[in-house]
Amino acid sequence: MARSSFDTLRALAIASQALGFILIITLETLMGDAARPWQGWTLAAMVAAALWIALVRLYRRNRARKALDRCRADLDDSA
């Protein structure tokens, strides 16, 4: 299986964090001190997105590891 040099999850993580920081700065610029609760919710959404991406990456890694283990077991059984 050929591996692509483009990592979709990494791009999604970078984009979500960049968008969150841009939103936090924009809220501060437009709303001043009234932006604090919205900035907190934005930060919470950024953390939630990062955790979701980490879980998806862990799931994919474990699924690939199990598939590789199955292939190795099949090769050992046929030899």
Side-chain angles (χ1 to χ4, degrees):
M1 185 169 142
R3 291 197 53 144
S4 173
S5 63
F6 181 76
D7 187 358
T8 305
L9 288 178
R10 184 176 300 246
L12 185 60
I14 292 169
S16 67
Q17 297 300 301
L19 182 64
F21 284 125
I22 289 169
L23 185 57
I24 286 173
I25 292 169
T26 302
L27 286 169
E28 180 70 28
T29 302
L30 296 177
M31 299 175 69
D33 286 337
R36 296 290 183 222
W38 293 105
Q39 289 173 327
W41 283 109
T42 302
L43 184 59
M46 290 168 62
V47 170
L51 289 174
W52 176 77
I53 290 168
L55 284 175
V56 170
R57 182 178 297 278
L58 183 64
Y59 171 75
R60 287 183 181 177
R61 184 180 306 135
N62 286 341
R63 189 176 60 183
R65 185 176 298 137
K66 286 179 184 180
L68 183 61
D69 288 344
R70 277 193 302 270
C71 286
R72 287 181 180 160
D74 289 344
L75 287 175
D76 289 342
D77 289 343
S78 66

